[in-house]
Every structure is written in structure tokens, then in C-alpha cells.
Amino acid sequence: GQVVLPVLWRAHGDALPPAVVINGGCAMSLLPTEGWQHWPAGTVTLLLMGGEDFFRGGLSPEQHLQDAMACVPRANGTTAILYVDQMRHMPQNELLQPVLPRLLRAALAWEASGKPPAESFDELLSVLRRGGFSGRFVHKAAPGDSWEEVVFNRGAQTNSQRSVRPKAPLPAALQRPATASEAQEQRP
């Protein structure tokens, strides 16, 4: 996710089909190439991220989620992040087996309808709660800084809304110089 998807975004933009990303590496602000800057405005992207993932580094789970949300540009209104507290870098089978097919169906339904698939999201959260998982599910329903948020655990869920300002690209003086292969890719 952190290498290939940003290259595809840069090359194809909104022409890409929906993507389901495990680990959310494409939404890491610490990426040396800042690939998240190429996040397309209209391509459906669903990220599955975990609170026990080493990609989190020294960030708290809340900071990790907030950082990923801030990588999504204001112009995008088709991104969701499923943040599961108990998920490691490679999702456990008891999590991935019921969740992955539902994420794929939700991504396709969102692309087909142009609207967040509430029924698919409800089914996904129900499966997670029955499995004893906890975490947060956030999604954008429209361009802007607003995200719909559901906090879920085995017993219940709470719906709310939050705003997250997108990150600005690093000033040129702080950016890592492009490698020869990256510079070649950027030429028309």
C-alpha cells in the first residue's frame, strides 16, 4: 500500500477502481515520498488499520488514526478507515476472514452508487462486534474536512462526527530528493 498505490494514484488518479488497503501504509505522513499527496479525489479507498501494528511507531492509536485521516485530501469524499484496536501488522485470520469480503463488497457498492454504503458498513460493524473486536470506523460522506465516526466494541457502538484538516506537503527544503527511478517516473 505505501509504495505501489501512490504510484498508481499519481499515474491514473480517479480512473483507478476501488482499493482495499491493509495496514494503511499509503496514509503514513512519514513516507519519504509523501505518496499520500497523490490521493485521488473520487476513487473509493477503504483502509484496514490496526492498533497493534508496528507501522504505528510511537503514536497512540488515536494519533495513528488521526494521522491517516489527515493524509486524505479535502477534495476526497470516498475514503473510509476501519481501525481495529486488536489488529497486528498482518491481520489475524479471525479478523481478516469475515472482514475482507465485506470491505470488498462495501468498496464496490460505494463505487456503484456514489454514496457511502450504510447497510454494508452496518453489517461490517456488526460482524466486528460479534467477534469481540473494538475500534473506530470513520468515513467521508462528501469532500471537506468532516468524517462520520463510529466507535464500536463488543457491547455497543457510538456514532459521532469529527473534522480533520488535511496535511500540507512538506516544504521543498525538507523533502527527500527523488531517486533516479522516481525522477524517471515523474517525467511525462
Side-chain angles (χ1 to χ4, degrees):
Q2 75 263 28
V3 177
V4 175
L5 192 55
V7 169
L8 292 171
W9 283 343
R10 187 173 50 228
H12 302 287
D14 284 336
L16 285 176
V20 173
V21 181
I22 296 174
N23 302 333
C26 60
M28 291 174 54
S29 65
L30 301 176
L31 289 175
T33 60
E34 291 189 313
W36 50 268
Q37 290 181 49
H38 305 288
W39 203 297
T43 298
V44 174
T45 308
L46 276 66
L47 289 77
L48 174 60
M49 299 176 64
E52 296 180 15
D53 189 345
F54 59 81
F55 272 12
R56 196 178 68 155
L59 300 176
S60 72
E62 175 58 29
Q63 291 168 325
H64 188 213
L65 175 60
Q66 183 91 13
D67 184 62
M69 292 167 69
C71 287
V72 180
R74 181 173 282 125
N76 178 280
T78 54
T79 295
I81 303 172
L82 174 58
Y83 196 93
V84 180
D85 295 334
Q86 297 84 4
M87 188 180 113
R88 297 184 292 268
H89 183 69
M90 291 307 299
Q92 306 87 305
N93 189 46
E94 60 272 13
L95 170 64
L96 193 59
Q97 190 172 19
V99 167
L100 184 58
R102 286 170 175 84
L103 286 172
L104 293 168
R105 283 194 297 270
L108 293 172
W110 198 343
E111 180 189 43
S113 72
K115 296 182 283 190
E119 191 173 298
S120 296
F121 292 165
D122 289 344
E123 179 187 349
L124 177 64
L125 294 170
S126 177
V127 164
L128 286 160
R129 285 193 315 274
R130 283 195 310 268
F133 294 101
S134 60
R136 288 178 167 71
F137 178 73
V138 295
H139 76 277
K140 294 182 81 173
D145 297 340
S146 184
W147 293 75
E148 301 291 324
E149 179 176 30
V150 178
V151 178
F152 63 91
N153 60 42
R154 186 176 183 93
Q157 71 181 40
T158 307
N159 297 1
S160 63
Q161 199 169 39
R162 69 161 88 179
S163 289
V164 176
R165 303 203 91 197
K167 292 184 179 296
L170 285 175
L174 298 177
Q175 291 183 13
R176 172 183 68 77
T179 64
S181 63
E182 289 171 342
Q184 182 74 23
E185 288 175 6
Q186 293 176 0
R187 291 189 193 139

